[in-house]
Amino acid sequence: MVELKSDAALAAMREAGRVVANALAAVRNDAAVGVSLLELDEVARGVLGAAGATSPFLGYRPSFAPVPFPAVICASVNDAVVHGIPDGYRLRDGDLVSIDCGAVLDGWCGDSAISFTVGAARPEDTELIAATRRALEAGIAAAVVGNRIGDIAHAVGKVARAGRYGMPDGYGGHGIGRRMHEDPHVPNEGRPGRGYPLRPGLVLAIEPMLTAGGRDDYATDPDGWTLRTNDGSRAAHIEHTVAVTEDGPRILTLP
């Protein structure tokens, strides 16, 4: 079931989104060579706690997962695409890092992700991140009243394929509101003019995931969560929570 949000709900989701943005900014600020992924998770926990928010990630256990997710961020490094579990790994010079974070505030959710490099960046990583951002921007621009989910999917996929990047099969964005994952699913590739119609009050998490090797296949780590490229190529993941409004798309996960 797809729920359209009222203006009051959008205002509440904007506050949850602001908490997410602040948590991601704090993690990005503290991410440096030698810092562990667990330490970055603690940074995000501190921001959520100070805001009176909780994490929709912590303890989340969908049907595919062998164990509940044990952290408040997903930390995916280099060839890990999404859903990386923070551990004692210490960041190294040149690492490509993707951090996904969510917050629940006053019963409403926000969800966003960033990708960045630590230390000296490889030019190809810089371009991968930039392409992922362009794909997200294209998807957001298509999130207008009168379009359909397929228009968002087509916009994202067109940018990715133009750069000869891969995208993990079956993965994409989702509706969001009282729960982190709601209908409808938002593919990262699709046919324009197809799918659920975009109406005012629809809120979507749009999240391109691009892989440098150009392949769409992936493997899941033994932890049951981390998705990793089969060819060892690097990946980037950038996400915003976006509301469809009469005045155009409104990003709810900005600072």
Side-chain angles (χ1 to χ4, degrees), residues 19 22-23 26 42-54 103-105:
V19 174
N22 291 339
E42 286 300 321
V43 170
R45 287 176 190 251
V47 174
L48 296 184
T54 58
V104 181
L105 184 67

Side-chain angles (χ1 to χ4, degrees), residues 1-98:
M1 176 179 175
V2 176
E3 178 191 6
L4 302 179
K5 278 69 178 180
S6 66
D7 288 345
L10 293 184
M13 291 188 71
R14 176 69 182 99
E15 294 310 307
R18 200 185 312 274
V19 174
V20 176
N22 291 339
L24 288 172
V27 168
R28 176 68 184 91
N29 183 69
D30 282 20
V33 174
V35 175
S36 76
L37 301 181
L38 279 173
E39 288 168 338
L40 295 182
D41 188 66
E42 286 300 321
V43 170
R45 287 176 190 251
V47 174
L48 296 184
T54 58
S55 170
F57 292 13
L58 185 63
Y60 181 59
R61 188 179 183 183
S63 58
F64 67 80
V67 296
F69 197 78
V72 305
I73 61 170
C74 297
S76 306
V77 180
N78 296 332
D79 64 334
V81 186
V82 287
H83 301 163
I85 296 176
D87 57 16
Y89 177 83
R90 296 192 175 276
L91 296 173
R92 301 171 184 171
D93 187 48
D95 277 346
L96 195 167
V97 184
S98 296

